[in-house]
Amino acid sequence: MRLNGGYLESLQAYLKQKRQHAHRVIHRFREQDQAFLLRSELQSMFRELCAEPEGELLLNSPMQQMIDWAQEGALDNTYCYLALRTRVARWSYIRFQLDTLDVEELDVSSYLEARERLVNGAGRLENRHVLELDLGPFSREFPKLQEAHSIGRGMEFLNRRLSSQLFEDLGKGDRRLLEFLRVHQYREQQLMLNEGIDDVQGLRSALRTASDYLGTHSEDAGWETVGHQLRVLGFEPGWGRTTRAMLENIHLLLDILEAPSPGNLERFLSRVPMIFSIAIISPHGWFGQAGVLGRPDTGGQVVYILDQVRALEREMRQCIYDQGLDMEPQVVVVTRLIPDAEGTSCDQRIEAIAGTHNARILRVPFHADNGVVPQWISRFEIWPYLERFSFESEREILAELGGRPDLLIGNYSDGNLVAALISQRLKVTQCNIAHALEKTKYLYSDLYWRANDKQYHFSAQFTADLIAMNTADFIITSTYQEIAGTAEGVGQYEAHMAFTMPGLYRVVNGVDVFDPKFNIVSPGADAEVYFPASAGERRLTHLHDEINGMIFGREMAGDIRGVLQTVDKPLLFSMARMDRIKNLNGLVEWYGANTQLRALTNLLIVSGHVDPGLSGDAEERAEIQRMHRLMDEYQLDGQVRWLGRHLDKSLAGELYRVVADRRGAFVQPALFEAFGLTVIEAMSSGLPTFATLFGGPMEIIEDGVSGFHVDPNEGEHAAQQLVDFFQRCSNDPEEWERISQGGLQRVEARYTWKRYAEQLMTLSKVYGFWRYVTGLERAETQRYLEMFYALQFRPLAERIRN
Ligand code: UDP
Ligand code: LCN
């Protein structure tokens, strides 16, 4: 994108007039003797310069503007390169000649090529003959959002677009609507309209006649009373359970045919019976309902999907009922079957999902050449198994549902890839949920992919992500920042717009975050499990002895370290998988190093194992060992209780409340957290929450109102924030209550499964309609991605097997 508003000219003029100031800045960058500079490094060098004599002359200059925009920098012997994020998701690239300070704008390819040269070494042929992935040309014709604040509200945009298209193209647009209403069937049963209506004029007059006819009946009469006559007029079931509902929908459609508006189109489409069965794909991890949470790779995604299934089934049943139909909706969660199930249910092919009528987990094993793969495999290692898994799952889904699902939902990179493969073959609407995109979690995960590939295989994962993002009909995210970040930081999807993996391929247009396929639909916390400590009658008091033993027990039997010496202090509580990114060790270190915090509180950690010998995961083991070193170094055994346990939901729910009873706080110290279910669980329990400002919690919590943000890279400061909070609470008991209430109100307003399910069902219908009326097959994109899959993904995945 070109720099606009004459910025480049003003920078050039500044460089001429104030050359020595500009030179100091570039010189300072050069002095670091680093090929790549991060935003935080650029900013802190600039701040230092501003504080030096005459440094104030840099303030408010075009150089300052440049640093405000700069997300990353790179230096070779001749140039300094900067990537400027001039607005959310809008990027430009410039370079300075180091001696002359001549500045020019670069296109994205040249910028990425410069980075490749710095990694690969100059003069290498592979820098010049690079595979460039560019999905831009395929979607040039498609409508795009324009404003950054609209990102993530794709459905609203589509509805506006669709209704005006219907309006403009009267005759053509509403003909498509008529055809759309005629294709609805459930198994062999025709729904909505039959062959009796064959043009829009006929539809209008049938609607008017039906309206008059229904007006002569009681409002509560159903299809069994009025159906015979409606069928003669060209109608089929699906308009509503009662005459009242049928009339409402008939009038809504008449209004749309007269003058469509986004609101009435959305309302009408959300009532059309279109979704009866859903397949949700989530291959990796231990996917089960008990005894799996907290193990490596098995975290929020499992909680999310099980809650999602319950909420979706409820919503589907309600919709089907309201539409006057009587079929039972079907939901299957497809995951891998693990024969060595370690006492979990992961070796069972089918498992009914508790709290649902008909939803189930369907497990399909991974195959290798020598048969079924028996053991758990890390999510970073499963790529070679997925293609075959997609075929076998497809067959099992068809058998289980008795036909094609109406919607496929992928989860995480592996599930999204499998959903992409199946939906292409079955021609079913594909929805993606990333949960967490790995690319932004690890510094330079793309540039130095080779260094990490043996452990993480990001080359395969990022390739899978690009394919699945682009095949999806719609993508749902838990927050805005997941798509497009904040004014300061890059979003997870945004980070896939342009990047390079030197020596592999270069992405100049990987995904467009202005595409209306993006929608924010935030999850909730199960209200049956996570409710406030003050809800006395609902408390699971029978668990209190067990919980008190867990926290305050004097013995260290089991996988436990630390015995709390004083029991009357508030507890700081954290619970997470023992991943490096979760940074529980960071929290222990902040705590250990702050004597005031140690005097005011005890620390309770629920995570992983205490005995490293019990862990089968290398990263988890390394984190456990580090935690032991910190406990020794800071002599924390009397103030920290570390439970190497995986808690089941109900126990975890009551534990949050017991911590709240003692006027404690929850801390989520992750280096990055994509969303953070524990954050909304703690808030739903009325527990004041301090959570990382990198990722979802930044958006979930309003700092100082519904909790607090902490910077995991500024541990001392974070510890001080906690000290200040507990001191404020002891001076003013209302303070704890204020934050507790703020958290409760926030989750109630934004994070509920009911709202989630309503939104997701409406989205599925609107995108189904959009796909139908625009004839959107995206055939060209599909072909391009198939090639990318076969030529890039498959060999990368195969390499992991060998
Ligand atoms: N969890 C649990 N018991 C444990 C550890 C974690 O029930 O021993 C649950 C926790 O309550 C939350 C989920 O696992 O529901 C973790 O989700 P989150 O989004 O916080 O992080 P993730 O693990 O997905 O990265
Ligand atoms: C994965 C994560 O890393 C968490 O941040 C999310 O809360 C979880 O999935 C559920 O979406």
Side-chain angles (χ1 to χ4, degrees), residues 284-292 295 298 335-351 361-365 374 376:
H284 77 258
W286 299 91
F287 197 107
Q289 300 181 78
V292 294
R295 291 173 180 241
T298 303
T335 187
R336 67 166 292 221
L337 184 145
I338 309 175
D340 292 349
E342 299 185 10
T344 68
S345 57
C346 295
D347 55 352
Q348 291 171 22
R349 183 180 167 275
I350 283 279
E351 181 180 336
I361 302 169
L362 169 65
R363 296 194 181 88
V364 179
W376 173 83

Side-chain angles (χ1 to χ4, degrees), residues 298-549:
T298 303
Q301 182 171 327
V302 172
V303 176
Y304 179 119
I305 293 173
L306 291 171
D307 286 346
Q308 172 201 42
V309 166
R310 284 184 268 271
L312 279 181
E313 194 201 61
R314 212 171 299 136
E315 183 64 23
M316 284 163 85
R317 295 185 99 233
Q318 187 63 48
C319 284
I320 292 173
Y321 178 86
D322 290 345
Q323 285 149 353
L325 304 172
D326 294 304
M327 45 289 259
E328 188 61 52
Q330 303 208 65
V331 184
V332 286
V333 179
V334 184
T335 187
R336 67 166 292 221
L337 184 145
I338 309 175
D340 292 349
E342 299 185 10
T344 68
S345 57
C346 295
D347 55 352
Q348 291 171 22
R349 183 180 167 275
I350 283 279
E351 181 180 336
I353 298 180
T356 68
H357 288 257
N358 199 26
R360 52 225 184 261
I361 302 169
L362 169 65
R363 296 194 181 88
V364 179
F366 280 176
H367 277 95
D369 289 342
N370 53 356
V372 167
V373 179
Q375 77 284 11
W376 173 83
I377 297 177
S378 147
R379 70 186 193 279
F380 297 123
E381 307 276 335
I382 62 171
W383 304 105
Y385 304 101
L386 295 179
E387 188 167 323
R388 181 155 174 191
F389 178 79
S390 81
F391 281 104
E392 282 157 11
S393 302
E394 177 185 325
R395 202 185 53 229
E396 299 246 8
I397 293 169
L398 292 175
E400 196 58 33
L401 297 178
R404 285 188 320 173
D406 300 308
L407 174 68
L408 269 162
I409 305 180
N411 291 273
Y412 190 68
S413 309
D414 54 347
N416 289 328
L417 184 73
V418 173
L421 296 174
I422 301 180
S423 78
Q424 272 167 51
R425 297 195 290 258
L426 295 185
K427 307 237 172 303
V428 170
T429 308
Q430 177 197 343
C431 162
N432 281 16
I433 306 175
H435 295 283
L437 288 162
E438 297 295 335
K439 187 167 173 296
T440 36
K441 279 198 199 168
Y442 299 80
L443 200 55
Y444 299 131
S445 57
D446 46 5
L447 270 186
Y448 291 114
W449 65 275
R450 272 206 180 95
N452 290 321
D453 224 42
K454 204 164 162 21
Q455 188 181 1
Y456 293 117
H457 306 294
F458 285 146
S459 57
Q461 181 153 3
F462 299 169
T463 307
D465 283 334
L466 286 167
I467 293 169
M469 282 173 201
N470 284 288
T471 55
D473 291 287
F474 68 101
I475 295 177
I476 63 173
T477 69
S478 300
T479 58
Y480 177 94
Q481 65 79 34
E482 185 177 337
I483 314 170
T486 58
E488 282 290 303
V490 183
Q492 293 182 59
Y493 279 97
E494 184 184 1
H496 294 75
M497 288 168 69
F499 67 96
T500 180
M501 290 194 273
L504 191 62
Y505 59 82
R506 178 191 298 161
V507 179
V508 296
N509 217 325
V511 70
D512 186 348
V513 296
F514 290 91
D515 192 308
K517 67 166 66 172
F518 285 100
N519 284 281
I520 305 161
V521 185
S522 306
D526 184 348
E528 298 288 313
V529 177
Y530 306 105
F531 52 84
S534 55
E537 72 296 352
R538 298 178 62 200
R539 297 287 298 267
L540 309 181
T541 44
H542 60 283
L543 296 177
H544 284 189
D545 282 349
E546 182 181 350
I547 290 176
N548 284 326

Side-chain angles (χ1 to χ4, degrees), residues 293-294 299-300 303 575 577 582 645-647 673 676-678 681:
L293 288 176
V303 176
M575 173 172 73
R577 291 176 294 118
K582 294 286 182 188
R645 279 186 65 163
H646 307 131
L647 303 185
E673 186 61 61
L677 286 176
T678 54
E681 290 164 5

